[in-house]
Amino acid sequence: MVDSSTTQTPTPGDQQSMLTRIPIEISISVGKARPLVRDLLGLEEQSVLVLDKLVSDPVELYVGDKLIGVGSLEMVEGDETGRLAVRIIEIADLQSSLS
């Protein structure tokens, strides 16, 4: 049995605070490849798909299917493993774009 004297309904501020701590996944789109079906069927290890963008072109940041920003690819400074990072160039109005 729940004691109603100790059960509290979260206030809007508490709810917003809880929501801001939820992790999300941001996908980075670096380009698209459009091979013919015969080329797709011929892919094997070490095959190379040429993308429609240059290394220096901006990349797009998505949460689900919502575009939330644009950035540029960079190597993580001081990381010898070659990890990539994205420097944000432009960010969408997240309050309206995610609602």
Side-chain angles (χ1 to χ4, degrees):
M1 184 167 172
V2 176
D3 181 1
S4 62
S5 65
T6 60
T7 304
Q8 297 178 357
T9 303
T11 65
D14 292 339
Q15 290 174 341
Q16 184 175 2
S17 176
M18 289 187 307
L19 287 175
T20 61
R21 289 182 263 146
I22 296 173
I24 60 166
E25 184 172 296
I26 298 175
S27 299
I28 311 300
S29 176
V30 297
K32 294 178 182 165
R34 291 188 171 82
L36 298 173
V37 172
R38 71 170 174 250
D39 298 331
L40 177 67
L41 295 173
L43 290 178
E44 51 191 46
E45 287 186 30
Q46 303 301 315
S47 293
V48 175
L49 282 173
V50 177
L51 301 179
D52 62 350
K53 291 195 175 185
L54 301 174
V55 170
S56 59
D57 284 346
V59 296
E60 298 169 333
L61 290 75
Y62 290 91
V63 172
D65 63 350
K66 300 276 189 182
L67 178 66
I68 63 155
V70 177
S72 62
L73 290 178
E74 295 186 0
M75 298 289 286
V76 174
E77 196 171 313
D79 185 344
E80 287 101 35
T81 62
R83 290 191 323 163
L84 290 173
V86 175
R87 180 173 302 277
I88 305 299
I89 297 171
E90 184 179 328
I91 196 80
D93 177 5
L94 297 178
Q95 294 292 332
S96 63
S97 66
L98 295 178
S99 56

